[in-house]
Amino acid sequence: MSLPLSILAQIQPAVADTVGIDSSLIPVAAEPPVVQELSVWQLCVEGGFVMIPLLVLSVIAVYIFIERAIVIRRAAREDSTFMQRIKDYIHDGELETAQNLCRQTNTPYARLISKGISRIGRPMNDVLVAIENTGNIEVANLGKGLPWLATTAAGAPMIGFLGTVIGMVEAFYNLASAGSGANIDVLAGGIYEALVTTVAGLVVGIIALFAYNYLVARINGVMNLLEGKTMEFMDLLNEPVK
């Protein structure tokens, strides 16, 4: 069992006096150096001015993700009785009532059906084209802001690397300026400060990439829903009236 260094340092002089040895000749075990812990805020400060654009990009990415996630979630809401009610209204010739139902539902697929109802009486190809054009507009509206996420996912790591290169240049410049007084501490301090921007850039980029892919997957789900409602509506128009 080993004794703590503080207790060992107190025992050594007493043992030396007992055996008649000069206690100054006995080496005293040194205390281990205390490693200073860095907080997240200190790391951000050490990163320098490059951390500012990374912070701006991260705030924008978080805002876009939350806002688009809410919009897409609302767009994906589905009323299981909607198409059956539309079918009954169309078969009864109550087109205006069907349009009112679409406006009350206020979802992308409801707006598609509303556009299709407004084209009833025209050739089927015209109805389908009108619905598809409306669907393209709806999908484009759902994807607003996603280019910012994609740009952040690709650009944040590059900005981090840029900050690292700038920091490395400053570190070696300080090392060269130190001349004969240069030591490893001058270089190591500059290097770890420079690498902070790389870490920050990678963190922001990875989060933005996952957020972008998640939203794209949700939009693809809404697109499948729109396609299903479109086919259901076109089949409804082709059904013989009983």
Side-chain angles (χ1 to χ4, degrees):
M1 181 178 64
S2 59
L3 295 175
L5 294 178
S6 58
I7 298 178
L8 185 61
Q10 297 175 2
I11 294 176
Q12 285 177 343
V15 174
D17 294 340
T18 302
V19 299
I21 302 175
D22 187 0
S23 60
S24 62
L25 300 177
I26 301 177
V28 180
E31 292 284 347
V34 179
V35 179
Q36 183 180 3
E37 296 184 358
L38 288 176
S39 65
V40 175
W41 172 252
Q42 288 175 321
L43 287 175
C44 292
V45 172
E46 294 292 349
F49 71 92
V50 178
M51 299 295 290
I52 297 177
L54 290 177
L55 176 62
V56 173
L57 287 177
S58 63
V59 171
I60 293 175
V62 170
Y63 170 78
I64 292 175
F65 173 74
I66 296 176
E67 190 268 339
R68 286 293 93 188
I70 295 174
V71 171
I72 295 172
R73 181 179 180 182
R74 292 174 179 173
R77 291 182 305 178
E78 185 176 5
D79 184 356
S80 58
T81 65
F82 176 78
M83 289 306 300
Q84 183 60 46
R85 295 165 67 186
I86 290 292
K87 178 180 178 180
D88 294 338
Y89 290 146
I90 292 178
H91 285 173
D92 294 339
E94 301 178 3
L95 300 183
E96 186 59 31
T97 305
Q99 289 282 27
N100 291 334
L101 176 60
C102 293
R103 284 190 286 268
Q104 293 173 2
T105 305
N106 192 29
T107 57
Y109 68 80
R111 287 188 282 272
L112 259 66
I113 302 303
S114 177
K115 179 62 68 174
I117 293 173
S118 67
R119 295 294 190 271
I120 290 180
R122 297 187 181 183
M124 296 296 293
N125 187 58
D126 292 348
V127 177
L128 181 59
V129 170
I131 293 177
E132 288 178 348
N133 291 337
T134 303
N136 292 334
I137 294 174
E138 293 292 338
V139 172
N141 290 334
L142 292 177
K144 287 182 178 179
L146 262 64
W148 272 103
L149 279 180
T151 301
T152 300
M158 301 302 294
I159 294 176
F161 292 147
L162 175 61
T164 297
V165 172
I166 294 175
M168 294 292 288
V169 171
E170 293 179 352
F172 281 102
Y173 175 78
N174 293 334
L175 182 65
S177 300
S180 59
N183 54 52
I184 191 62
D185 293 336
V186 176
L187 184 60
I191 291 177
Y192 96 81
E193 293 176 7
L195 291 177
V196 169
T197 59
T198 297
V199 174
L202 289 174
V203 170
V204 174
I206 291 172
I207 294 175
L209 178 61
F210 277 93
Y212 173 81
N213 288 333
Y214 172 80
L215 294 179
V216 168
R218 293 296 304 273
I219 291 176
N220 290 336
V222 175
M223 290 176 60
N224 293 334
L225 175 63
L226 297 181
E227 291 176 358
K229 296 298 182 182
T230 299
M231 296 305 299
E232 193 173 350
F233 180 75
M234 297 305 297
D235 291 340
L236 168 63
L237 296 183
N238 289 323
E239 288 181 0
V241 179
K242 298 181 180 179

